[in-house]
């Protein structure tokens, strides 16, 4: 299919659709379940299960550190994992613009296949729609994932408890700054690169080996600040964060400063927040440091009860600044960056 | 949110996204699982499971008999059902164009909620992306469904056997002609209306009460002709269809004749093909007639072995015409109609 462009009839359900399925999807996503070609895939899986969905509209499609295809695998694998689950199966829905270069589609499909194999998940069912030129911008991908929840109770946003340690698995803002700089045609330092990665193996070690993980959440859209606000709200607690403890690469810090962005509000695609009892923090950090992009894993603060931090109310995030002051870290207001993921 | 238009920051993951979730999605999709607001939903479900995904890009969004929201529920509920499964949970991913009228979004979300309640499924996890004006046409919806497979072996496209009866649950072409006539601004007879409907309850009766269902498939994109070709190919058999037995409403027949379309290639969104042993055909027809749009349910032909019908080869569909001749019914070639579903 190299050198061709995508025609409307590739989404017709007719002969051209079948060719796309056999020449492209079955080849790169090869697995026995997808190959049955029924309306639905048959899965042998026992609950309790975690299910999560995300649509990916990132612009540009290709960027340093990944592309829309890797993102569509990593992002959904990670969301399923955050419930303390082992992701097993993904569905994949493409919306493609008529006239798309088939080589671009094939590169993305190949990336997805590789990312799925690396994460140990199967893409088992799919759908392709082709819309007329101008009705979508190049391509959008939806993936939905399911997997087995490994522990009971599962990590959940409402389980942060006063005294718990707050850890993050690496530096903040890499993905968001990478996308923005690509879009603006800016060239920052060579190490400004998306952190897009699957975190399922790290999560499995956290929940099965470290144990008693209260909250897992990946700080994607809205960044660390927004995600901590969600957790503080769900748990009716206060999150206390030390500004100096939050790892941000120097190149990302410089890029953000140049563009007037705050790395704490930028999306990450291969990082997680882990909240757990203080006495297990060191063991969890050791696991995080061995995971993807884990070299800067750090303890960034702790969960406080209402009243412990002056006037801070339940659901708030308080940051202790480098100079020792305190300021409220609110949820993202407005939009820094559309089509970040 | 009435009277507002959709802004980019509704997809930011920040405060506006949270407002959209609580004011709109939680209200219309209300269920305890969605309400936990974690990255993934926790489901208590035991395998074997069926999983299916579809993206909906239909244009126009609203049409006689349904809208993009009902279609997104019915279509995926039906695909999961076709594996002889009881659909239980849906995910839902919206891609929305900046500037969309919030009243339109709310109408669609309300339709989805109503269709899900009627089908007895929960929408348990979701995602919303807002893309800049011009990057998508109004709205696209992906739904992915999972459910419990009720019988073993499950119905499958490769299980059609010579001697089996081929049934369809109602008239062909209603959805496809409806969309096309809307798009062209044509006004056909008042009963030209989409057949969009959930078939899960009918399927449950077929597999549990009638039993021994070999194949279930809903003839959506590509229509009856393409779907029968898929089944004949998967089962390495010949499908023999009587032209006069295929129910097509007079209004649909007239509309197709006017537009030069063949109703056997038009999409249906609330019909199924059921292939099963001859001796169970009457019992199955009785079930189909009580289902949605079931008044024209009919036996349209039978499965033949290679050699029974002259030179017809495995994987072919042979139609006996009204005049007694035979012609091959091939898969859809080209595209009659983009953005049909």
């Amino acid at each position: 299919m190299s050198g061709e462009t995508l025609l409307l009839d590739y989404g017709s359900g007719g002969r051209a659709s079948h060719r796309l399925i056999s020449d492209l999807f079955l080849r790169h996503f090869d697995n026995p379940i997808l190959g049955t070609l029924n309306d639905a895939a048959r899965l042998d899986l026992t609950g309790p299960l975690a299910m999560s969905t995300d649509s990916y509209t990132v612009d540009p499609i290709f960027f340093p550190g990944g592309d829309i295809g890797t993102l569509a695998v990593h992002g959904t694998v990670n969301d399923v994992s955050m419930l303390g689950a082992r992701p097993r199966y993904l569905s994949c829905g493409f919306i493609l613009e008529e006239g798309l270069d088939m080589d671009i589609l094939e590169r993305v499909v190949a990336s997805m296949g590789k990312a799925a194999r690396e994460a140990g998940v199967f893409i088992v069912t799919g759908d392709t729609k082709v819309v007329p030129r101008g009705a979508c911008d190049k391509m959008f991908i939806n993936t939905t994932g399911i997997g087995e929840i490994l522990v009971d109770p599962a990590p959940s946003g409402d389980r942060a408890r006063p005294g718990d340690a707050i850890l993050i698995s690496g530096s903040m803002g890499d993905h968001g700054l990478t996308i923005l700089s690509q879009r603006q045609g800016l060239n920052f330092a060579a190490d400004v690169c998306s952190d897009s990665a699957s975190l399922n193996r790290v999560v499995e070690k956290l929940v099965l080996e470290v144990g008693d993980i209260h909250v897992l959440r990946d700080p994607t859209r809205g960044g660390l600040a927004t995600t901590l606000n969600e957790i503080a709200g769900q748990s009716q607690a206060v999150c206390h964060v030390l500004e100096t403890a939050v790892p941000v690469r120097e190149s990302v810090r410089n890029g953000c400063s140049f563009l007037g962005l705050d790395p704490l509000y930028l999306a990450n695609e291969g990082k997680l927040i882990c909240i757990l009892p203080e006495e297990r923090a060191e063991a969890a950090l050791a696991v995080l440091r061995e995971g993807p992009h884990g070299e800067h894993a750090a303890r960034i603060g702790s969960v406080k009860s209402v009243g412990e931090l002056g006037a801070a109310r339940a659901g708030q995030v308080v940051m202790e600044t480098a100079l020792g002051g305190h300021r409220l870290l609110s949820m993202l207001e407005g939009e820094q960056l559309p089509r970040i993921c």
Side-chain angles (χ1 to χ4, degrees), chain A:
Chain A
M1 302 186 136
S2 180
E4 292 180 48
T5 61
L6 189 75
L7 305 175
L8 273 176
D9 66 351
Y10 281 90
S12 66
R15 202 176 294 281
S17 297
H18 285 79
R19 190 174 150 229
L20 192 69
I21 291 167
S22 57
D23 287 4
L24 197 60
F25 299 122
L26 288 182
R27 193 151 58 81
H28 289 289
F29 298 165
D30 182 42
N31 66 69
I33 302 174
L34 182 64
T36 62
L37 295 180
N38 280 314
D39 282 334
R42 180 202 166 97
L43 312 175
D44 288 298
L45 196 62
T46 294
L49 302 176
M51 180 180 197
S52 188
T53 192
D54 245 322
S55 297
Y56 299 86
T57 62
V58 66
D59 173 35
I61 291 176
F62 301 98
F63 47 82
D67 60 42
I68 191 172
T70 58
L71 210 56
V73 172
H74 297 154
T76 297
V77 159
N78 292 347
D79 279 342
V80 170
S81 301
M82 294 306 132
L83 219 60
R86 179 186 289 145
R88 293 280 305 278
Y89 301 111
L90 297 184
S91 67
C92 172
F94 285 94
I95 298 174
L96 305 172
E97 186 182 15
E98 177 191 15
L100 181 72
D101 183 334
M102 291 296 281
D103 292 333
I104 289 182
L105 179 59
E106 176 146 21
R107 265 178 75 190
V108 169
V109 172
S111 287
M112 289 189 77
K114 182 163 176 282
R117 282 189 297 280
E118 286 170 358
V121 298
F122 283 161
I123 298 172
V124 291
T125 186
D127 171 58
T128 307
K129 294 290 187 311
V130 182
V131 297
R133 218 176 280 264
C136 89
D137 183 17
K138 295 186 280 293
M139 77 166 81
F140 301 144
I141 304 176
N142 175 283
T143 51
T144 303
I146 60 172
E148 297 137 336
I149 295 177
L150 299 170
V151 286
D152 184 25
S156 175
D158 58 5
R159 293 187 55 220
R161 294 286 169 269
D164 282 356
I166 304 175
L167 317 180
I168 55 176
S169 69
S171 59
M172 292 289 104
D174 300 68
H175 178 75
L177 185 71
T178 304
I179 298 302
L180 188 61
S181 63
Q182 288 291 307
R183 218 172 308 157
Q184 309 279 331
L186 299 172
N187 276 312
F188 292 121
D191 72 339
V192 172
C193 173
S194 171
D195 57 336
S196 180
S198 287
L199 297 168
N200 53 324
R201 294 207 168 79
V202 168
V203 167
E204 204 163 319
K205 282 190 193 163
L206 287 174
V207 297
L208 295 182
E209 295 173 18
V210 176
D212 203 15
I213 307 293
H214 289 174
V215 182
L216 289 174
R217 193 62 71 89
D218 56 340
T220 54
R221 279 183 294 177
L224 178 68
T226 303
T227 310
L228 286 177
N229 269 278
E230 291 171 0
I231 295 168
Q234 285 182 265
S235 296
Q236 287 298 295
V238 177
C239 289
H240 180 239
V241 175
L242 297 169
E243 184 173 26
T244 52
V246 178
V248 179
R249 280 177 207 281
E250 198 186 339
S251 52
V252 171
R253 197 179 295 278
N254 292 341
C256 281
S257 147
F258 177 75
L259 293 165
L261 296 170
D262 184 338
L264 302 191
Y265 290 90
L266 287 181
N268 308 280
E269 291 291 344
K271 302 286 163 53
L272 60 79
I273 299 169
C274 173
I275 299 182
L276 79 176
E278 171 65 42
E279 63 272 19
R280 294 179 190 247
E282 277 310 314
L285 274 175
V287 167
L288 294 177
R289 289 198 182 106
E290 289 180 5
H293 309 296
E295 65 275 20
H296 300 298
R299 176 176 171 166
I300 61 165
S302 54
V303 180
K304 304 285 187 191
S305 55
V306 177
E308 263 187 278
L309 280 177
R313 294 195 308 273
Q316 291 188 325
V317 180
V318 175
M319 192 162 76
E320 193 171 319
T321 63
L323 300 174
H326 285 81
R327 70 175 177 95
L328 279 183
L329 211 56
S330 60
M331 255 192 199
L332 176 65
E333 300 274 1
E335 172 59 296
Q336 291 204 53
L337 202 51
R339 299 185 67 187
I340 190 78
C341 58

